[in-house]
Amino acid sequence: MVNIAVMGHGVVGSGVVEVFYKNKASIEKKAGTQMDIKYILDLRDFPELSYHDKFIKDFEKIIADDSIKVVVEVMGGIHPAYDYAVRCLKNKKSVVTSNKELVATKGAELLRLAKENDVNFLFEASVGGGIPIIRPLHQCLGANDIYEIAGILNGTTNFILTKMIREQMHFEDALALAQKLGYAERDPSADIDGLDACRKICILASLAFGEHVYPNEVYTEGIRQITREDVEYAANWGGAIKLIGSAKVVDGGKLDVMVAPRFVPSSQQLSSVDDVFNAILVRGDATGDVVFYGKGAGKLPTASAVVADIIDAVRANGTIGSLWWQDTGKGQVIAHENSVSAYYVRVMCGDIQAQFHISSLFGNVDYLSRMNKPVDEYAFITHALSEAEMDECVQKLAGWGFKVLGKVRIFEE
Amino acid sequence: MVNIAVMGHGVVGSGVVEVFYKNKASIEKKAGTQMDIKYILDLRDFPELSYHDKFIKDFEKIIADDSIKVVVEVMGGIHPAYDYAVRCLKNKKSVVTSNKELVATKGAELLRLAKENDVNFLFEASVGGGIPIIRPLHQCLGANDIYEIAGILNGTTNFILTKMIREQMHFEDALALAQKLGYAERDPSADIDGLDACRKICILASLAFGEHVYPNEVYTEGIRQITREDVEYAANWGGAIKLIGSAKVVDGGKLDVMVAPRFVPSSQQLSSVDDVFNAILVRGDATGDVVFYGKGAGKLPTASAVVADIIDAVRANGTIGSLWWQDTGKGQVIAHENSVSAYYVRVMCGDIQAQFHISSLFGNVDYLSRMNKPVDEYAFITHALSEAEMDECVQKLAGWGFKVLGKVRIFEE
């Protein structure tokens, strides 16, 4: 018999309780033991719930109870989640979390603490909701040298971009619709400015490459500046604009990690991932491209990932060794200015010499077209160049009287 | 230190040796112990190979050597693979295989033997090549009640259908191209008649639903009869024809398991899986739709799945309980005539009453069109009806002088 405590009874927490009791028989069969949720920690009371007697307000009760082997942290935020997780691990209780901020900023430390105490720190639900990605990444793809991970990691932005693509909506209107449907918060910044995707790519990169990648090391660009015109040019180019979190190994073994909108060619599976769906592409030397697709958020998908982790934590005999990264203090992320991409650029310029200027900067470029393109508008795809070189080019264009209206990196096939 | 034996040095076997030695350091780190391949069993000699001294011809050497903890079976076929697997398991050696025929026909027995001997029988490579699917299915999706699995499980047929769709090739020409490129065997029957896909859906269904589904219980239809006209109608309908292996829970808890070409709507991710790629859709009550996509075959993808299983076998402490199904003798597959689908039907009939006859059989149907459709050709989508009802309808149509030119089931969203 194993007892579990759930910290936080919000959307995910209540989903965990629901999924646990709904499928309790098959969950216990898979875990190989009887299990129960003994405590639910929340500041609020829920007298209307059938399981209201499980609620507690004092975290110390969880620590003091030796029958609690697994603690589920679904409160969100760093405080007090971080302190609670530390104390649970030090008291030899495995911690299962859906808290991406916690994992992205404190993962290396919590993994080390879990190992020192022969328990587990598990976080399948922190990336991709119900899509199994953390476990396949360290376990199933264990025989691969992974050299790139890239994904559509945020459902809100993908919903907005899908509306801009399919229904020619403006960004502001698509955002308002997402808010109306409950896909976006009233303050949508964490989603649309890329912070949520940034935390997720940090977790994936840390796990795939073994060294902690922190959110503040990652250049992050959201989708606020994407226009209908950019979307239209992307379609004519043969693809779609997606917000991509990516981490890839570059020369010298360092990592190029970034969150930014990108032109994704339609031959690439990620281009057809629409609405609130997420997808994660993993590129390994032996496996080739593998894509994991599904709902990246939502109460039940996320809760089911948490429950799968609970099963693993119960079943595990000591720390699962392959789920591991560390902070050696060396850092592995290259400086942003050295990152290299091809670009889509959209400029406006009345100068009759415009194309001559463009060629002088970028050499031969592929010009794109769109319906009703003004004669003084130019959109084109550059060859690959570094962020520093691109910044320089943009300055030169401005000096020559160009107005830079759009600039989106190309996703490399 | 753990020793491994590899039985069979064909495409997959040589790939296993290659991947193992290429990534040995990271594999050992993940497994938590030093490892080596001690024997390779093959009837042939490979004097040119640097590791030629590992080759043996006598299986008994593997059984007699207590240092061998994991045996990789990549010979294919049932004999002697089955007998060897049984003897390895009985001698407390874990068996890792890529042999779908072995798993689909003997899985329940081999899983039971593994459990009785406290070792593992693992087969990630038997479905989906390098796509992680077996482990996510029993482990990550453990908190779900899965109610349907459907997939594009055979790369050869998907390549042929892609050529028919994209380049308007005839089936015979696309098959000849697949053979030229090495994607299809000289005798392509196992692929194009659906046998390979059948074995794979048997494995997935057995694992997801816990009761062994045998290939001879599964109605299997290949793609030989698919024409360019069918492909064209599918496009006008808003989708594509794919060979789908599927297993879904129907009323009463039994399973409807089938391999057949289907019209897949373009809103469904499986419709955009092209060329030799595979994809597997898993539908769970909590997770919703999850899709796993990647190369379903090939030396290195398959070998990397085998090596991931080797790591798991080495690391496991006893039998992995969640990887399990049994043969209770009850059978869980419904009779084929009770399976229900909507249909695309293409008929030819000179009778002026043709549409009247069609309505009398199927009620209101949605008619489809194509370029240069002969006036006496009718293509339409029916409502859902059972296989038995459909057979009756086809007989009636024939009786009225209709020629049934095409008939493809619709994939239910």
Side-chain angles (χ1 to χ4, degrees):
Chain A
M1 176 72 182
V2 169
N3 278 321
I4 298 157
V6 177
M7 304 195 295
H9 193 263
V11 173
V12 179
S14 61
V16 169
V17 177
E18 181 182 335
V19 170
F20 179 82
Y21 285 108
K22 181 157 180 278
N23 299 328
K24 188 163 182 282
S26 70
I27 289 167
E28 288 180 332
K29 199 172 149 200
K30 275 168 182 143
T33 180
Q34 287 196 299
M35 291 155 72
D36 203 7
I37 295 174
K38 188 167 180 184
Y39 303 125
I40 303 169
L41 181 73
D42 202 291
L43 293 176
R44 297 162 294 175
D45 290 306
F46 296 87
E48 72 285 8
L49 293 177
S50 62
Y51 52 88
H52 61 88
D53 55 324
K54 294 182 187 293
F55 281 85
I56 58 169
K57 292 190 170 62
D58 182 8
F59 170 71
E60 298 304 328
K61 262 191 141 163
I62 294 171
I63 291 294
D65 189 333
D66 283 343
S67 80
I68 301 287
K69 299 294 180 200
V70 181
V71 179
V72 175
E73 186 283 299
V74 283
M75 298 183 285
I78 294 296
H79 298 292
Y82 166 65
D83 307 282
Y84 286 1
V86 167
R87 289 201 55 210
C88 289
L89 294 171
K90 284 188 173 168
N91 282 275
K92 301 198 180 304
K93 299 173 192 303
S94 286
V95 172
V96 170
T97 187
S98 63
N99 185 335
K100 43 196 167 283
E101 186 178 0
L102 181 67
V103 184
T105 56
K106 304 288 184 184
E109 183 188 344
L110 295 169
L111 284 167
R112 184 177 50 73
L113 274 177
K115 197 175 182 185
E116 285 170 7
N117 290 283
D118 208 26
V119 291
N120 280 288
F121 176 62
L122 303 176
F123 43 86
E124 180 63 69
S126 67
V127 182
I131 309 171
I133 177 63
I134 299 295
R135 204 175 281 97
L137 199 55
H138 68 91
Q139 217 172 48
C140 315
L141 302 171
N144 273 262
D145 267 347
I146 292 166
Y147 60 87
E148 184 174 357
I149 296 184
I152 294 170
L153 301 170
N154 179 273
T156 308
T157 44
N158 205 47
F159 174 85
I160 292 170
L161 290 169
T162 302
K163 288 288 160 192
M164 293 175 71
I165 293 164
R166 286 224 202 117
E167 298 169 27
Q168 291 82 49
M169 288 175 83
H170 282 291
F171 169 77
E172 292 75 17
D173 301 331
L175 171 59
L177 178 63
Q179 287 172 317
K180 195 176 145 198
L181 294 172
Y183 295 150
E185 313 268 336
R186 207 173 305 171
D187 174 3
S189 173
D191 289 320
I192 65 173
D193 293 326
L195 179 58
D196 176 76
C198 175
R199 287 169 179 158
K200 290 168 180 168
I201 193 65
C202 285
I203 295 170
L204 295 173
S206 299
L207 182 58
F209 304 111
E211 176 78 29
H212 200 133
V213 173
Y214 292 94
N216 61 13
E217 297 177 278
V218 176
Y219 174 84
T220 299
E221 192 178 301
I223 63 163
R224 282 185 202 268
Q225 76 289 6
I226 300 296
T227 63
R228 286 203 310 194
E229 289 78 11
D230 299 331
V231 166
E232 213 177 314
Y233 279 121
N236 288 339
W237 169 77
I241 300 181
K242 298 286 173 190
L243 182 65
I244 302 287
S246 59
K248 68 176 167 186
V249 178
V250 292
D251 293 345
K254 292 233 168 195
L255 286 182
D256 185 353
V257 190
M258 198 188 299
V259 174
R262 288 183 189 265
F263 273 37
V264 180
S266 55
S267 56
Q268 166 54 246
Q269 279 287 308
L270 294 181
S271 73
S272 64
V273 174
D274 287 334
D275 296 321
V276 292
F277 284 87
N278 285 17
I280 297 143
L281 165 70
V282 181
R283 292 179 154 165
D285 59 350
T287 306
D289 286 10
V290 176
V291 180
F292 301 81
Y293 166 94
K295 276 219 174 107
K299 176 177 176 168
L300 294 183
T302 308
S304 81
V306 169
V307 174
D309 272 353
I310 296 175
I311 295 173
D312 260 24
V314 169
R315 209 168 44 193
N317 182 49
T319 311
I320 298 170
S322 58
L323 182 63
W324 179 249
W325 69 76
Q326 55 192 343
D327 179 357
T328 62
K330 284 184 208 158
Q332 62 176 352
V333 181
I334 61 166
H336 176 63
E337 65 260 33
N338 297 328
S339 176
V340 173
S341 309
Y343 269 89
Y344 146 85
V345 181
R346 175 183 167 225
V347 292
M348 190 165 267
C349 180
D351 190 332
I352 197 162
Q353 298 268 42
Q355 286 188 287
F356 173 79
H357 285 311
I358 289 168
S359 299
S360 76
L361 276 184
F362 299 104
N364 278 332
V365 295
D366 292 328
Y367 283 97
L368 304 177
S369 190
R370 66 176 177 100
M371 290 256 283
N372 307 319
K373 182 182 85 63
V375 287
D376 58 347
E377 178 177 292
Y378 303 91
F380 52 91
I381 306 290
T382 72
H383 60 90
L385 71 178
S386 74
E387 298 284 330
E389 289 166 336
M390 190 66 200
D391 287 346
E392 217 173 286
C393 290
V394 167
Q395 280 183 12
K396 280 190 186 156
L397 286 171
W400 292 330
F402 281 80
K403 201 172 161 193
V404 179
L405 300 171
K407 186 162 77 74
V408 182
R409 293 165 191 85
I410 309 291
F411 182 81
E412 205 185 319
E413 268 278 61
Chain B
M1 177 73 182
V2 169
N3 278 321
I4 298 157
V6 176
M7 304 195 295
H9 193 264
V11 173
V12 178
S14 60
V16 169
V17 177
E18 182 182 332
V19 170
F20 179 83
Y21 284 109
K22 182 158 178 275
N23 299 327
K24 189 163 182 281
S26 70
I27 289 167
E28 288 179 331
K29 199 172 149 200
K30 276 167 181 144
T33 180
Q34 287 196 298
M35 292 154 72
D36 203 7
I37 295 174
K38 189 166 179 185
Y39 303 124
I40 303 170
L41 181 73
D42 203 292
L43 293 175
R44 297 163 293 175
D45 290 306
F46 295 87
E48 73 284 8
L49 293 176
S50 62
Y51 51 89
H52 61 88
D53 55 324
K54 295 182 187 291
F55 282 86
I56 58 169
K57 292 190 170 64
D58 181 8
F59 170 71
E60 298 303 330
K61 263 192 139 162
I62 294 171
I63 291 294
D65 189 332
D66 283 343
S67 80
I68 300 287
K69 300 293 181 201
V70 181
V71 179
V72 175
E73 186 282 299
V74 284
M75 295 182 287
I78 295 296
H79 298 291
Y82 167 64
D83 308 282
Y84 286 0
V86 168
R87 290 201 56 209
C88 288
L89 293 170
K90 285 188 173 169
N91 281 276
K92 300 200 181 302
K93 299 173 192 303
S94 287
V95 172
V96 169
T97 186
S98 63
N99 184 336
K100 43 196 167 281
E101 186 179 0
L102 180 67
V103 184
T105 55
K106 304 288 184 183
E109 182 187 345
L110 295 169
L111 284 167
R112 183 177 51 74
L113 274 178
K115 198 175 181 185
E116 286 170 8
N117 290 283
D118 207 27
V119 291
N120 281 288
F121 176 61
L122 303 175
F123 43 85
E124 181 62 72
S126 67
V127 182
I131 308 172
I133 178 63
I134 299 295
R135 203 176 283 97
L137 198 55
H138 69 89
Q139 215 171 45
C140 315
L141 301 172
N144 273 262
D145 267 346
I146 292 166
Y147 59 87
E148 184 174 358
I149 297 183
I152 294 170
L153 301 169
N154 179 273
T156 307
T157 44
N158 205 47
F159 174 84
I160 291 170
L161 289 169
T162 302
K163 288 288 160 191
M164 292 175 72
I165 294 164
R166 286 222 202 116
E167 296 169 31
Q168 291 83 49
M169 289 175 83
H170 282 291
F171 170 77
E172 293 75 17
D173 300 332
L175 170 60
L177 179 62
Q179 287 172 317
K180 195 176 145 197
L181 293 171
Y183 296 150
E185 313 268 335
R186 207 173 305 171
D187 174 3
S189 173
D191 289 321
I192 64 174
D193 293 327
L195 179 58
D196 176 76
C198 174
R199 287 170 178 157
K200 291 169 179 167
I201 194 65
C202 285
I203 296 170
L204 295 173
S206 300
L207 182 58
F209 304 110
E211 176 78 29
H212 200 132
V213 173
Y214 293 94
N216 60 14
E217 297 177 277
V218 176
Y219 175 83
T220 300
E221 192 178 300
I223 63 164
R224 282 185 202 268
Q225 77 289 7
I226 300 296
T227 64
R228 287 202 311 193
E229 288 77 11
D230 299 330
V231 166
E232 214 175 314
Y233 279 120
N236 288 340
W237 168 76
I241 300 180
K242 298 286 173 189
L243 182 65
I244 302 288
S246 59
K248 68 175 167 187
V249 178
V250 292
D251 293 345
K254 292 233 168 196
L255 285 184
D256 185 352
V257 190
M258 198 189 298
V259 174
R262 289 185 188 263
F263 272 36
V264 181
S266 56
S267 55
Q268 165 55 245
Q269 279 287 309
L270 293 180
S271 74
S272 64
V273 174
D274 287 334
D275 296 321
V276 292
F277 284 88
N278 285 17
I280 297 144
L281 165 69
V282 181
R283 291 178 155 166
D285 60 351
T287 307
D289 286 9
V290 176
V291 179
F292 302 80
Y293 166 94
K295 278 220 171 107
K299 177 178 177 168
L300 294 183
T302 307
S304 81
V306 169
V307 173
D309 272 353
I310 295 175
I311 294 173
D312 260 24
V314 168
R315 209 168 42 192
N317 182 49
T319 311
I320 298 170
S322 58
L323 183 64
W324 178 250
W325 70 76
Q326 55 192 344
D327 179 356
T328 63
K330 285 184 210 158
Q332 62 175 351
V333 181
I334 61 167
H336 177 61
E337 63 261 35
N338 298 328
S339 176
V340 172
S341 309
Y343 269 90
Y344 145 86
V345 181
R346 175 182 167 226
V347 292
M348 191 166 265
C349 181
D351 191 332
I352 198 162
Q353 298 268 41
Q355 287 189 289
F356 172 80
H357 285 311
I358 291 169
S359 299
S360 75
L361 276 184
F362 299 104
N364 278 333
V365 295
D366 292 327
Y367 283 97
L368 303 177
S369 190
R370 67 176 176 101
M371 289 257 282
N372 306 319
K373 182 181 86 66
V375 286
D376 56 350
E377 178 178 293
Y378 303 91
F380 53 91
I381 305 289
T382 72
H383 61 90
L385 70 179
S386 74
E387 298 285 331
E389 290 166 336
M390 190 65 201
D391 286 348
E392 218 173 288
C393 291
V394 167
Q395 281 182 12
K396 282 191 184 156
L397 286 171
W400 292 329
F402 281 79
K403 202 173 159 193
V404 179
L405 300 171
K407 186 163 76 72
V408 182
R409 294 167 189 84
I410 308 292
F411 182 80
E412 205 185 317
E413 267 277 61

